[in-house]
Amino acid sequence: EEAIRVGSEALRMAEELGLAELQAHALDSIGAARAAIGDLRGLRDLEQSIAIAVELNSLESVRGYVNLGTCLAELGDLERAFELYAQGRQAAEGFGVPDRIRWFEEERLYEWYWRGDWDSAFHRAEVEVGDAVVDPLAVRAHRELLRVAARHPDLAAQGDHRRARHGALDDLVL
């Protein structure tokens, strides 16, 4: 609720000053915060954020795509979430920002998992753990889920579980 209040204040200031990119950023933050507390108006905020950012050809659109996609996935609208992830991946590639591209590549793990394409997801999780990742703990936890779902529990899966649960501080990038 505090994030919504502060974000709304920032949005008002951005509107008064005519700073459209800051408006998109504030709407994204407000929308994600609203959705996190179950207020579905947040989805409209996120959609508006994306529309503004796309019109400006702003990198802010990438953040909007991932946040709206994640909110929709959590609400069970997986097909629309996957469409937004694809749009976000395309935008990230267009801007040529490697960490944003990787962000969407990691999101594919969830898509493949939810679609039941566990071979693709497991292969990607194996590659991701070997490379620098945005969220190594999530990748390890996801890899463990894949092993269990595919009925391949082994010692490596138990290791992923322990590292995911205990923070794997050595993997965190500060």
Side-chain angles (χ1 to χ4, degrees), residues 109-125:
L109 289 171
Y110 299 101
E111 179 177 346
W112 289 328
Y113 176 80
W114 289 325
R115 288 188 188 277
D117 186 355
W118 296 335
D119 289 338
S120 295
F122 186 76
H123 173 73
R124 188 65 192 186

Side-chain angles (χ1 to χ4, degrees), residues 109 112-114 116-130 136-164:
L109 289 171
W112 289 328
Y113 176 80
W114 289 325
D117 186 355
W118 296 335
D119 289 338
S120 295
F122 186 76
H123 173 73
R124 188 65 192 186
E126 287 294 304
V127 170
E128 293 293 349
V129 169
L137 302 179
V139 170
R140 283 196 176 90
H142 194 76
R143 190 169 66 176
E144 178 189 6
L145 285 173
L146 289 164
R147 284 191 172 106
V148 171
R151 300 184 189 271
H152 294 297
D154 60 14
L155 293 177
Q158 292 174 20
D160 283 342
H161 173 73
R162 278 193 302 277
R163 291 186 76 178

Side-chain angles (χ1 to χ4, degrees), residues 1-13 26 29-30 33-34 37:
E1 290 174 358
E2 179 69 8
I4 295 166
R5 186 189 66 71
V6 171
S8 295
E9 228 175 272
L11 178 60
R12 277 190 297 281
M13 286 189 272
S29 297
I30 294 165
R34 279 184 172 161
I37 62 170

Side-chain angles (χ1 to χ4, degrees), residues 10-23:
L11 178 60
R12 277 190 297 281
M13 286 189 272
E15 288 170 344
E16 287 173 12
L17 296 170
L19 301 173
E21 191 166 28
L22 186 55
Q23 290 173 28

Side-chain angles (χ1 to χ4, degrees), residues 5 40 44 61 88-89 93 134 138 168:
R5 186 189 66 71
L40 296 183
R44 285 194 311 266
S61 66
R89 191 168 33 255
E93 289 168 357
V134 175

